[in-house]
Amino acid sequence: MSIRRRVSTVTETSSPSTSGAAAASIVAAPRPELVSELVRPLQLDGSAHLAALAGMIALALLGGVLVARNRYEDPSARADETEPTREEFVTDQELVRQLLEDNGGRMKQSKIVDSVDWSKAKVSRLLADLEDDGQITKLRLGRENLVCLPGHEPTASKSPEQPTDD
């Protein structure tokens, strides 16, 4: 039952009454043409309920899809993502040695700095420690250092007293 029907019913039922309160309600009741204009925005004919119902159904479907995807997803795919890689357990010295081996046994120090996420100072200290341990050789080339693994030094850098490995 719409609001307009309720207003007209109230005015019809109260008109035969002779009491003063009923007469006041009849006079106070708005005219039917004004009621239809005022009530029109309030009359939604259930479209708001349908929109809310459609929204709830859409959310339920989306939730169902997400639950199904998580439940039936391959568990081995998730295990691979959380499993640590070998690179996480490599020391800094091992990483530099591996980098040198991957680049033919020689690299400029600036290229090493570009290849890792460390500062120039850390790379310099690390290379100095490796050189002290005899694991690498650093050769000065102008303003740069050439870092070499043992046995990968250029032949021109060796002194005449050192035997060549030819």
Side-chain angles (χ1 to χ4, degrees), residues 17-79:
S17 166
T18 57
S19 75
S25 67
I26 292 172
V27 173
R31 294 182 295 186
E33 59 271 358
L34 289 176
V35 170
S36 65
E37 291 176 15
L38 294 174
V39 175
R40 205 172 285 219
L42 297 176
Q43 291 178 351
L44 299 174
D45 298 328
S47 61
H49 298 294
L50 290 176
L53 182 62
M56 288 188 286
I57 290 172
L59 285 174
L61 287 174
L62 178 64
V65 167
L66 291 175
V67 167
R69 184 191 69 176
N70 289 340
R71 181 172 291 168
Y72 298 115
E73 187 177 84
D74 185 19
S76 64
R78 272 189 262 151

Side-chain angles (χ1 to χ4, degrees), residues 97-116:
R97 289 184 52 83
Q98 183 63 41
L99 192 61
L100 288 169
E101 288 173 7
D102 292 344
N103 287 291
R106 298 182 204 168
M107 275 183 87
K108 290 185 179 179
Q109 185 171 337
S110 60
K111 296 293 182 188
I112 294 174
V113 171
D114 293 340
S115 299
V116 294

Side-chain angles (χ1 to χ4, degrees), residues 50 55 63 121 124 130 148 150:
L50 290 176
S124 180
L130 288 171
C148 305

